[in-house]
Amino acid sequence: MIVTTLNLKEKYKSYTDINGKIKRDIDNGFLFPLVRGIYETESSVDGFLLASYIYGPSYLSFEYALSYHNLIPERVVVYTSATFNKRKSKVYQNHFGLYTYRDVPNAAFPYSVKAYEEDGYAYFIASPEKALCDLLYNRKPVTSIKELKRLLFEDLRVNKDIFEQLNFDEILFLSDKYISNNMKHLRKYIESEYMK
């Protein structure tokens, strides 16, 4: 369960040294700090459930979401999330894993994200289409469709069979929300190969 310093101060108000009690709970393995002022009480919670509590607003995207949706073969051990208007990337390491946060454009942020609940935790994850767009937006620009295909199917090792089952209308809708050469080339590639 997620608890904040405020919750703990209320819970431990009968103690004279509340901060000392919190520190002892951490040392004894009853509390696990996520970021300053936020703690988890269960040591075995799946790390992905905590990503949006650590830094937000955010949703799981990029490599983690692509792996989650089986678009790339690697099991991604970093919890990669998208944010907006933060202007710099953030990295957090805690008992549950490594968490990274990168910006996407404000215009793209709210679309194609699903909210789920598991074991009392809410988590947010990009659709496979959105995760792909977010990742391409954050990659070095390509200059041609040929380069884009190399990036997708060789560098990122995107599964072509699964790629071909994506909702291309969703990708074309999203592509307008990013000002990015990679997204322009993705749009051209989809229109020329799949939308004839």
Side-chain angles (χ1 to χ4, degrees):
M1 187 175 103
I2 303 263
V3 290
T4 64
T5 303
L6 213 59
N7 303 140
L8 295 169
K9 284 187 169 170
E10 180 59 32
K11 182 180 174 183
Y12 298 147
K13 61 183 178 207
S14 61
Y15 285 76
T16 48
D17 180 10
I18 293 172
N19 290 336
K21 168 66 173 152
I22 292 171
K23 187 178 179 326
R24 284 193 303 280
D25 280 358
I26 293 167
D27 293 343
N28 293 326
F30 300 130
L31 282 178
F32 301 89
L34 298 180
V35 286
R36 189 185 167 125
I38 302 176
Y39 307 87
E40 172 53 55
T41 58
E42 298 289 323
S43 68
S44 59
V45 170
D46 256 323
F48 76 92
L49 294 171
L50 305 172
S52 65
Y53 296 95
I54 290 171
Y55 191 62
S58 66
Y59 58 85
L60 289 157
S61 188
F62 308 111
E63 297 87 349
Y64 184 84
L66 290 176
S67 171
Y68 177 93
H69 293 300
N70 298 313
L71 258 174
I72 56 173
E74 287 77 22
R75 187 176 160 271
V76 175
V77 291
V78 178
Y79 301 108
T80 54
S81 294
T83 52
F84 73 100
N85 257 359
K86 304 291 187 194
R87 290 187 179 75
K88 62 182 184 184
S89 299
K90 287 274 191 185
V91 178
Y92 298 97
Q93 174 89 55
N94 59 39
H95 168 83
F96 302 95
L98 182 63
Y99 296 81
T100 65
Y101 299 83
R102 287 172 271 175
D103 266 358
V104 298
N106 298 8
F109 185 82
Y111 295 101
S112 300
V113 176
K114 287 203 165 82
Y116 297 95
E117 196 182 319
E118 191 173 309
D119 300 329
Y121 298 84
Y123 71 97
F124 305 89
I125 191 160
S127 68
E129 294 82 3
K130 177 71 172 294
L132 185 65
C133 292
D134 285 349
L135 186 61
L136 288 176
Y137 170 76
N138 270 271
R139 282 293 168 123
K140 194 167 154 262
V142 296
T143 56
S144 66
I145 289 178
K146 188 178 170 188
E147 265 186 50
L148 176 83
K149 285 161 85 168
R150 192 177 313 126
L151 172 61
L152 286 174
F153 305 116
E154 291 173 34
D155 299 355
L156 297 173
R157 296 176 61 207
V158 168
N159 180 314
K160 197 152 200 285
D161 293 336
I162 295 176
F163 176 84
E164 287 174 352
Q165 293 165 28
L166 292 177
N167 180 339
F168 293 127
D169 289 329
E170 185 179 340
I171 292 176
L172 295 180
F173 167 78
L174 289 168
S175 69
D176 285 343
K177 317 277 178 230
Y178 302 81
I179 297 162
S180 147
N181 267 353
N182 290 352
M183 295 306 295
K184 266 187 234 160
H185 289 301
L186 179 62
R187 183 182 191 105
K188 280 184 198 157
Y189 170 51
I190 288 170
E191 286 174 340
S192 63
E193 298 269 331
Y194 300 104
M195 309 290 275
K196 290 172 183 167

